[in-house]
Amino acid sequence: MNEHLLLAYIPVLHEGYRRFIEAHGTGRRLFLIGPELHLDHGPLARDIRALPADAVARAVGSWSICSEVSVLDAAGAERLAGERPFLTMPAEDVSYLVADRFFGRCEVRYDTVFLRWDKTRTAQLLRAEAPSAPAADPLLAELVAKAEERAGASVDWWRRVGAAIRYTDGTVAARANEHLPHRLSPYVVGDPRSNFSKGVALELSTAIHAEAGLIAEAARRGVPTAGAVLYVTDFPCPPCAKLIAGAGVAKLYFRAGYAVLDGRDVMEAAGVELLQLA
């Protein structure tokens, strides 16, 4: 039977890592992914929190959870791979990189550990679920109709998004995603979004999102957004979520979509009530 080992990149000492090690590494050998194994992984070079791997090894060893704690270099990784161990690793980009590079013939199990914003976590698309909106609400129905109408008229054929807002004085405004400096810009010079999958590099776009456009328009007109009610056909992206939270919107209705990064958490922390249309 192949030995069951723990292999992990641990940049900082954290209760979450202790729990991960305790759950999977009690009485087993733990190998820490040393810098030699990820020298070409650019994002880690910018991780200014990271402790030296040998310091982490000494600290984790003092917890007396694992039978052995050591730092793995490239030569050690090749020797270990030859033993064909069964590995448990955190589910993040560094683990996938090292496993593909050195342990392609080993059985590897991943367990989700959210302890840093690795690329896998940053671009993860989460289901944007919220309590259902009231079935019969004429004020909401007006917002939905105006937002859907604007979305249907959008020239952004691959992602038609509309939004409508009701200010506290009862007035309503609506708009759709709009490309700048001209609404047909992507059809003249090409759409930069074609270089990315959905949810990735959201800020790299020639379009102003519908929600952001409404909030900017309100600022230009001097209309207060605090306490406003907003409906958007698709769940807001992280930048728009932060604008909605900062604008003091009281209630956000959405039809569908996905949540990325911390957008939902930011809105909920700001007191925005989230409701989804059935």
Side-chain angles (χ1 to χ4, degrees), residues 21-270:
I21 294 169
E22 188 174 57
H24 301 291
T26 300
R28 297 189 173 113
R29 289 194 289 166
L30 164 64
F31 292 92
L32 299 179
I33 295 174
E36 188 176 332
L37 302 187
H38 58 70
L39 283 176
D40 57 349
H41 189 55
L44 295 189
R46 299 188 291 272
D47 192 352
I48 61 174
R49 312 160 306 147
L51 294 166
D54 56 349
V56 174
R58 291 194 298 271
V60 173
S62 70
W63 296 346
S64 299
I65 299 174
C66 300
S67 61
E68 178 187 340
V69 181
S70 58
V71 179
L72 201 62
D73 58 15
E78 291 177 358
R79 288 194 300 271
L80 186 63
E83 300 175 14
R84 301 287 294 273
F86 173 72
L87 299 173
T88 296
M89 304 178 71
E92 59 176 28
D93 52 358
V94 184
S95 298
Y96 305 138
L97 173 73
V98 172
D100 289 343
R101 183 170 295 174
F102 295 98
F103 299 97
R105 300 181 65 185
C106 299
E107 183 178 355
V108 183
R109 178 178 65 189
Y110 298 97
D111 190 13
T112 300
V113 181
F114 175 39
L115 296 170
R116 68 183 189 89
W117 283 109
D118 71 294
K119 183 177 180 180
T120 304
R121 180 76 184 192
T122 303
Q124 184 179 16
L125 304 182
L126 305 172
R127 292 188 64 183
E129 296 179 333
S132 298
D137 183 341
L139 295 179
L140 173 58
E142 180 187 9
L143 291 181
V144 171
K146 289 183 177 296
E148 298 288 351
E149 179 184 7
R150 294 301 295 267
S154 172
V155 299
D156 199 358
W157 62 270
W158 69 278
R159 185 165 171 75
R160 289 175 152 182
V161 177
I165 190 170
R166 175 175 285 104
Y167 305 108
T168 53
D169 65 0
T171 59
V172 172
R175 65 184 296 166
N177 280 15
E178 181 180 346
H179 289 277
L180 300 173
H182 188 276
R183 65 193 296 263
L184 297 179
S185 289
Y187 304 103
V188 177
V189 298
D191 189 350
R193 291 302 310 162
S194 63
N195 295 300
F196 302 95
S197 300
K198 66 179 180 179
V200 179
L202 292 163
E203 74 284 359
L204 299 179
S205 171
T206 61
I208 180 171
H209 289 186
E211 313 95 299
L214 285 173
I215 292 172
E217 180 182 348
R220 184 177 66 250
R221 293 170 47 209
V223 179
T225 53
V229 176
L230 177 67
Y231 167 75
V232 62
T233 56
D234 287 60
F235 195 83
C237 69
C240 285
K242 292 174 175 65
L243 284 174
I244 291 167
V249 170
K251 189 176 295 186
L252 171 74
Y253 295 96
F254 67 96
R255 181 183 64 196
Y258 50 85
V260 184
L261 203 63
D262 55 0
R264 176 173 183 154
D265 294 338
V266 168
M267 289 189 290
E268 289 182 336

